[in-house]
Amino acid sequence: MGNMNKGFFTGFLLGAAAGYAAALLTAPESGEQFRDDIRTRGIQLKEQAQDLTEEAQLRAQELEKKAEATIEEERRRLEQTLAEQKKKAEEVVKRAGDVAEDAARRVQGGDS
C-alpha cells in the first residue's frame, strides 16, 4: 500500500474512532454500557481494518500478476524483434559481401 493510501486509511480509522467516541461521550448512557459500546466498536473497527488489509493484499497480488504477465509479453516481443533485426542485418551483410565479391571480380577481370 502506498504512503498516501496508508495515511488516508489511518486517518479514516482515527477519524471514525474519534467520531464514535465523541458520540458515545455525549450520549446519556451508564459507564458500563459506554465501555461495552467502546469495546464492541473497537472490535468492529479491528475487523474492518483486517478486511481492508486483506482486500488490499489481494489487489496487490493481482496487480503483481498482471505486471509480470505484461513484462513477460514485452520480453517475448523484444526477443522476436531482436531476432528479426538480426536476420535483416545478416542479410545486409551477406548482400554487401556479394556486392564486394562482384566488384572484386569485375576489377580483376577488367569488366566495367
Side-chain angles (χ1 to χ4, degrees):
M1 202 180 313
N3 285 340
M4 191 164 82
N5 289 341
K6 194 174 191 180
F8 174 79
F9 179 69
T10 301
F12 175 78
L13 287 179
L14 290 175
Y20 187 73
L24 288 177
L25 288 172
T26 59
E29 295 178 354
S30 69
E32 186 162 333
Q33 179 64 40
F34 176 72
R35 287 188 296 275
D36 286 343
D37 288 347
I38 288 179
R39 189 176 310 115
T40 300
R41 187 63 182 147
I43 291 169
Q44 290 172 345
L45 287 173
K46 181 181 176 185
E47 290 172 354
Q48 286 176 343
Q50 288 171 338
D51 290 345
L52 289 172
T53 299
E54 289 173 9
E55 183 179 337
Q57 288 172 340
L58 288 174
R59 286 185 182 176
Q61 290 171 352
E62 290 172 5
L63 288 173
E64 182 181 15
K65 287 178 184 177
K66 286 180 183 179
E68 287 172 355
T70 300
I71 289 169
E72 182 61 27
E73 177 63 28
E74 290 302 316
R75 184 190 61 77
R76 277 190 236 120
R77 285 183 54 222
L78 179 59
E79 286 176 351
Q80 181 180 359
T81 301
L82 287 173
E84 290 170 0
Q85 294 303 317
K86 181 181 177 184
K87 184 177 179 181
K88 287 178 183 179
E90 289 170 350
E91 290 172 1
V92 168
V93 169
K94 183 180 181 321
R95 276 191 240 139
D98 292 345
V99 169
E101 286 176 12
D102 187 43
R105 274 191 299 251
R106 288 182 184 196
V107 169
Q108 288 176 354
D111 291 342
S112 359

